[in-house]
Amino acid sequence: MRTLHHWPLDPWSRQARIALAEKQLAFELRFERPWDAPEDLLALNPAGLTPVLVDETPQGRVVAVEARAILEYLEELKPEPSLLPGGPAERAEARRLCHWFDRKFDAEVNAYLLFEKLEKRLQGLGAPDMEAIRAGRDYLRWHLDYVTGLLDQRDGLAGPRYSLADIAASAHLSCIDYLGDVPWDEFPAAKAWYERIKCRPSFRAILEDRLPGMAPARWYADLDF
Amino acid sequence: MRTLHHWPLDPWSRQARIALAEKQLAFELRFERPWDAPEDLLALNPAGLTPVLVDETPQGRVVAVEARAILEYLEELKPEPSLLPGGPAERAEARRLCHWFDRKFDAEVNAYLLFEKLEKRLQGLGAPDMEAIRAGRDYLRWHLDYVTGLLDQRDGLAGPRYSLADIAASAHLSCIDYLGDVPWDEFPAAKAWYERIKCRPSFRAILEDRLPGMAPARWYADLDF
């Protein structure tokens, strides 16, 4: 049995869910609220964060913690379909973009928009700071511009093959899109890329996520938005 | 030719240097001051951060950006000696610990001690905040306690084989040790582990690093400290 401990609007949990679906590996989801420091989660990951994948295999139990380790584990467990490009330069580029979204996009966009609009509310940390939201939206435009530049240079985000880079980028952007903050119409190349991602079967469960009392943007689940 | 763009007291640059030395791969070092946003670095990594490895191979140029991508690239380029344990559970555990140091130790220790004592000075950002330094030292003790717990459960940090986890942990801790802030004598198991790391030939260059005008702690380079 394979269980993914996740929180639906956590961009790293989403990366693990998408990769499991791309690999067509069966798994169960276990919903966690990391900010409540649940004991089952802390026992698996002392850092107290999602995602954690627990895989009970015939050879023993594997506990893979955080998106990068989970995705590398899945790639080794089931190499096909590969989520890494074939050549070393392209593989390095895909991993660079994962890091870009996991660190830079996280610090410049999630830390403002996800934190102010979602995490503060769920954790009872007070009203959102509108200045911070404006800063996050400015950074988001800059990131969409960067994505546009990549798509302009090449066929696909990190190259023609769907890869870890597409998973990382779409997982982060989809959380912001849930909040309704992505100005897709100003960035048609990024929008066309995200439309292709949304049509993949691996993305279906992501588009079905709903937080109680907090509806997504009306176009969130539309394949043609 | 293989060139690593680095900054000596950057824990991620150190991870790349140690891994290259462990793999016995020849490389040249190129010193960067990332906070000056040098053009050569920005052209290779638009995020403007070290480390960046540029490998001119007969099959073409590979640009690997940031420690995790560089170390995965080196593992694929030269699988032996492997820097990952053999089994999937142990590999996941080694990668978990990389993430632990790269994110949690970074946010709780580097963000206070490296930033206040080193980065502020180099970048002319004013005097260190003593409250922040005290907070960083408290967190550091907590991390050394965590490392002690790991070493108590098993033979080695992520298991008996030297791995990515040892590289990540020693790269981060060695930067703090340069500043003289690691209370080694209070944590004998962690100290014994670090003594073994210091004796490895791959660590020699790390112990030779000297920042102009800023001498390391007097025990920094001692193998028997």
Side-chain angles (χ1 to χ4, degrees):
Chain A
M1 199 169 88
R2 205 174 282 122
T3 307
L4 183 73
H5 296 251
H6 84 127
W7 187 66
L9 262 80
D10 164 31
W12 291 276
S13 295
R14 288 190 160 195
Q15 292 183 56
R17 290 162 67 198
I18 297 166
L20 282 157
E22 287 285 341
K23 296 281 188 187
Q24 297 189 291
L25 289 164
F27 66 105
E28 285 182 7
L29 278 174
R30 173 147 180 167
F31 179 92
E32 302 280 2
R33 295 166 53 96
W35 55 91
D36 289 340
E39 281 185 22
D40 67 326
L41 185 62
L42 280 167
L44 293 166
N45 177 14
L49 297 174
T50 51
V52 178
L53 179 70
V54 181
D55 198 353
E56 306 284 357
T57 76
Q59 290 73 42
R61 189 186 206 214
V62 177
V63 179
V65 166
E66 74 84 25
R68 297 276 63 75
I70 293 173
L71 271 65
E72 297 286 353
Y73 168 68
L74 296 176
E75 192 68 18
E76 291 170 1
L77 178 71
K78 192 177 175 193
E80 296 298 332
S82 177
L83 298 175
L84 276 168
E90 294 73 23
R91 293 164 86 88
E93 176 64 358
R95 288 182 170 128
R96 177 183 77 80
L97 286 168
C98 291
H99 191 256
W100 179 277
F101 281 93
D102 287 350
R103 295 282 319 227
K104 195 169 172 69
F105 188 93
D106 183 51
E108 295 174 347
V109 180
N110 297 345
Y112 294 104
L113 297 178
L114 272 188
F115 177 72
E116 293 294 336
K117 297 183 75 171
L118 186 62
E119 292 165 22
K120 265 188 168 177
R121 176 169 162 175
L122 290 164
Q123 299 173 46
L125 298 174
D129 171 348
M130 287 311 296
E131 270 305 303
I133 289 177
R134 264 189 291 274
R137 285 181 180 147
D138 286 346
Y139 276 122
L140 173 60
R141 281 196 162 75
W142 184 86
H143 277 274
L144 289 165
D145 205 44
Y146 181 67
V147 165
T148 301
L150 293 176
L151 293 167
D152 199 39
Q153 287 166 37
R154 47 177 90 146
D155 182 15
L157 202 61
R161 192 199 286 183
Y162 177 86
S163 78
L164 297 183
D166 296 281
I167 294 179
S170 62
H172 283 275
L173 278 164
S174 64
C175 291
I176 305 297
D177 197 38
Y178 190 97
L179 305 176
D181 279 299
V182 187
W184 291 116
D185 287 338
E186 296 174 34
F187 299 92
K191 184 180 180 183
W193 161 81
Y194 191 58
E195 259 174 355
R196 290 197 301 277
I197 298 279
K198 279 175 114 172
C199 291
R200 296 180 78 89
S202 64
F203 218 67
R204 207 167 292 152
I206 301 294
L207 299 180
E208 285 167 5
D209 281 336
R210 294 294 178 273
L211 289 185
M214 197 169 190
R218 65 182 159 65
W219 61 82
Y220 174 71
D222 288 356
L223 299 185
D224 183 18
F225 58 109
Chain B
M1 198 170 87
R2 204 173 284 122
T3 306
L4 182 72
H5 296 251
H6 85 127
W7 187 67
L9 262 80
D10 163 30
W12 291 276
S13 294
R14 289 189 160 197
Q15 292 183 55
R17 290 162 67 198
I18 297 166
L20 282 157
E22 287 285 340
K23 297 278 188 190
Q24 298 189 291
L25 290 164
F27 65 104
E28 286 182 6
L29 279 174
R30 175 148 179 166
F31 179 92
E32 302 280 1
R33 293 166 53 96
W35 56 90
D36 289 342
E39 280 184 23
D40 67 326
L41 185 62
L42 281 167
L44 293 166
N45 177 14
L49 297 175
T50 51
V52 178
L53 180 69
V54 181
D55 198 354
E56 306 283 357
T57 76
Q59 291 73 41
R61 189 186 206 215
V62 176
V63 179
V65 166
E66 72 84 26
R68 298 275 63 76
I70 292 173
L71 272 64
E72 297 285 352
Y73 167 68
L74 296 177
E75 192 68 18
E76 291 170 0
L77 177 70
K78 193 177 174 192
E80 295 299 331
S82 176
L83 298 175
L84 275 168
E90 294 73 24
R91 293 164 86 88
E93 176 63 359
R95 287 181 171 127
R96 177 183 78 80
L97 286 168
C98 291
H99 190 256
W100 178 278
F101 281 93
D102 286 351
R103 296 281 319 227
K104 194 167 173 71
F105 187 94
D106 183 52
E108 295 175 345
V109 181
N110 297 345
Y112 294 103
L113 297 178
L114 272 187
F115 178 72
E116 293 294 337
K117 297 183 76 171
L118 186 63
E119 292 165 23
K120 266 188 166 174
R121 177 168 164 177
L122 291 164
Q123 298 173 47
L125 298 174
D129 172 346
M130 287 311 295
E131 269 305 302
I133 288 178
R134 264 189 291 273
R137 285 182 181 147
D138 286 345
Y139 275 123
L140 174 59
R141 279 196 164 75
W142 185 86
H143 277 275
L144 289 165
D145 205 44
Y146 181 67
V147 165
T148 300
L150 293 175
L151 293 168
D152 199 38
Q153 287 165 38
R154 47 176 89 147
D155 183 18
L157 202 61
R161 193 197 285 181
Y162 176 87
S163 77
L164 296 184
D166 296 282
I167 295 179
S170 61
H172 283 275
L173 278 164
S174 65
C175 291
I176 305 296
D177 196 39
Y178 190 98
L179 305 176
D181 279 300
V182 186
W184 290 116
D185 287 337
E186 296 173 34
F187 300 91
K191 185 181 178 183
W193 161 82
Y194 190 58
E195 259 174 356
R196 291 196 301 276
I197 299 279
K198 278 175 114 173
C199 291
R200 296 180 78 88
S202 64
F203 218 67
R204 207 168 291 153
I206 301 294
L207 299 180
E208 286 166 6
D209 282 335
R210 293 296 177 273
L211 289 186
M214 197 168 190
R218 67 183 156 65
W219 60 83
Y220 174 72
D222 288 355
L223 298 186
D224 182 18
F225 59 109

